[in-house]
Amino acid sequence: MNEIQQSIRELAAGKNAIILAHYYQRPEIQDVADFIGDSLALAQKAAQTDASILVMCGVHFMAETAKILCPEKKVLIPDPTAGCSLADSCKAEDLAAWKKQHPDYQVVSYVNTSAAVKAMTDVVVTSSNAIQIVNHLPKDSKILFGPDHNLGAYINSVTGREMELWNGCCHVHSRFSVEALLELKKQYPQAKVLAHPECKQIILNLSDVIGSTQAILNYVRQHTEEKDFIVVTESGILHEMRKACPEVNLIPVPPEMTEGVGCSCNECEYMRQNTLEKLYDCLQNESNEVIVGKEIAEKAVLPIQKMLDWSK
Ligand code: 13P
Ligand code: SF4
C-alpha cells in the first residue's frame, strides 16, 4: 500500500468506518476497500454492517441505496457528482407519467435508479437477482420495467414474461463493438464470452455467460482451466479478475469507434470520478454525506427490502 492508502486505512480504523467499493472503481480504490462487490452485494453489506460510517466508492445511486438501508449511519461518497447515465434516463416524473398510462401495472425497477424512482417502485432488482425476483411475481402480473431496455429484454427472454420496457440504456454497455467481438471470437475460438446483461441483445446472443459483475468474476474463478475469456463489461472488473486468476487470459472488448481490437478498454467515467485523494478527504472531513429525504426514504426502503428478502 502506498502512503495515501495507508492513511485511508488508519482513518477508517480510527472512525469505525467501512469502505465499500464497486468492481468498476479504480484499481487503487478497490485495493484499499474493506469490501468489493456488485450492486446486490454492496446493498447486502450495507444492510449488515455495524460500522458507524460507510463510505460508498461507487456511483450516487449505490450510496443512496446504502443510506436508505441504514438511515441512522453516516454514508459518504468520495465524489457526490458521480452519477449514472442509465439512472438519469428515467426521472421520477417520467415514471409517474408512465405509471399513469398503465394504472394496473406493478413497477419493477433496476437498482440503477434514483431514490425518488425507487419510492414509486413495487420491487427493485439488480443484475444478480433480476430473473429470480421477476419469477417471484405471479405469472399473470402486468409489469413495467425500467430503466434498462437491454436488461428488461433479457429478463423477458429468460422468464417468458412480456414486461413493458422503458427505453433507457447505459452509455458504456450499449457501446461495445459487435465487429470487435466477432473478430476476437475468431482470434480466440476457445474463449468463453462473458457479458453483462446491460449489453445490447446482439452482444448477449454472442455470449456464453450473462451475469452481474460478481457472476462474471465467479465464472472465471471457477473455470480457470478454460484459459481465455472475452469480457464484455466495464473494464474495472479486470483488476479483481487478474488478482484472483493471474494465470488466465482476459480479453476486454473495446467500444465502437476504436481502432483495432483488445487495445482499448471501455470505462465508465462516472465510476472513475472517485479517486484516492477524494476518498481521503471525504473520510478525513466526513464530507459529502448522502442525505435522502425522510418521506422518499420511507417509501424507497420497501421495494429494496423486498428485493433483499426475495434474494435470500
Ligand atoms: P452490477 O450490479 O452487475 O455490479 O452492475 C452495476 C452497474 O452499474 C453495471 O453497469
Ligand atoms: Fe451507470 Fe453504466 Fe456507469 Fe453502470 S457503467 S454506473 S450503468 S453509467
Side-chain angles (χ1 to χ4, degrees), residues 22 24 59 61-62 83-87 110 112 148 169-173 196 198 233-234 267-271:
H22 187 264
Y24 298 163
V59 289
F61 76 80
M62 295 176 174
C84 166
S85 58
L86 179 54
Y110 192 28
N112 297 40
D148 192 62
C169 70
C170 158
H171 73 296
V172 178
H173 286 87
H196 195 280
E198 287 174 20
T233 189
E234 210 268 5
E267 293 184 353
C268 171
E269 64 271 36
Y270 305 120
M271 285 281 183

Side-chain angles (χ1 to χ4, degrees), residues 215-266:
I216 290 176
L217 172 64
N218 290 348
Y219 185 88
V220 175
R221 276 195 179 127
Q222 289 155 15
H223 297 82
T224 46
E225 76 288 353
E226 288 184 24
K227 202 170 137 330
D228 295 322
F229 298 92
I230 299 175
V231 182
V232 209
T233 189
E234 210 268 5
S235 57
I237 188 72
L238 299 172
H239 180 61
E240 188 58 26
M241 277 181 184
R242 286 188 186 118
K243 273 169 77 176
C245 310
E247 69 283 11
V248 305
N249 182 26
L250 300 167
I251 308 144
V253 175
E256 287 156 4
M257 312 297 287
T258 308
E259 284 193 25
V261 292
C263 57
S264 170
C265 292
N266 208 351

Side-chain angles (χ1 to χ4, degrees), residues 1-175:
M1 278 208 191
N2 64 24
E3 211 175 305
I4 186 164
Q5 286 174 315
Q6 277 170 17
S7 307
I8 289 168
R9 288 304 332 153
E10 282 160 25
L11 270 178
K15 289 174 182 262
N16 186 26
I18 186 171
I19 301 173
L20 308 182
H22 187 264
Y23 289 118
Y24 298 163
Q25 289 295 286
R26 294 167 184 270
E28 61 274 20
I29 288 192
Q30 295 189 41
D31 289 344
V32 85
D34 293 284
F35 180 82
I36 319 167
D38 66 2
S39 308
L40 177 64
L42 291 173
Q44 286 167 327
K45 191 74 185 173
Q48 288 158 6
T49 183
D50 50 14
S52 25
I53 298 180
L54 204 154
V55 188
M56 181 60 80
C57 299
V59 289
H60 195 263
F61 76 80
M62 295 176 174
E64 253 186 359
T65 304
K67 180 64 185 175
I68 292 165
L69 286 166
C70 316
E72 74 296 349
K73 293 193 197 301
K74 198 175 251 188
V75 176
L76 310 176
I77 180 166
D79 188 328
T81 68
C84 166
S85 58
L86 179 54
D88 287 348
S89 74
C90 185
K91 308 270 186 219
E93 55 271 27
D94 300 328
L95 178 56
W98 201 30
K99 278 178 74 152
K100 213 168 169 188
Q101 290 162 9
H102 299 83
D104 51 346
Y105 280 60
Q106 298 196 49
V107 177
V108 177
S109 291
Y110 192 28
V111 69
N112 297 40
T113 42
S114 66
V117 164
K118 291 186 177 82
M120 285 190 269
T121 291
D122 293 287
V123 63
V124 169
V125 303
T126 74
S127 54
S128 265
N129 59 22
I131 306 282
Q132 187 186 355
I133 302 283
V134 169
N135 274 335
H136 204 284
L137 294 168
K139 266 267 175 241
D140 57 352
S141 307
K142 292 180 173 176
I143 301 171
L144 297 180
F145 180 86
D148 192 62
H149 194 279
N150 293 329
L151 174 63
Y154 172 66
I155 301 169
N156 275 345
S157 72
V158 174
T159 62
R161 306 286 175 126
E162 291 179 355
M163 303 188 300
E164 296 286 330
L165 308 179
W166 186 257
N167 200 16
C169 70
C170 158
H171 73 296
V172 178
H173 286 87
S174 57
R175 247 181 41 205

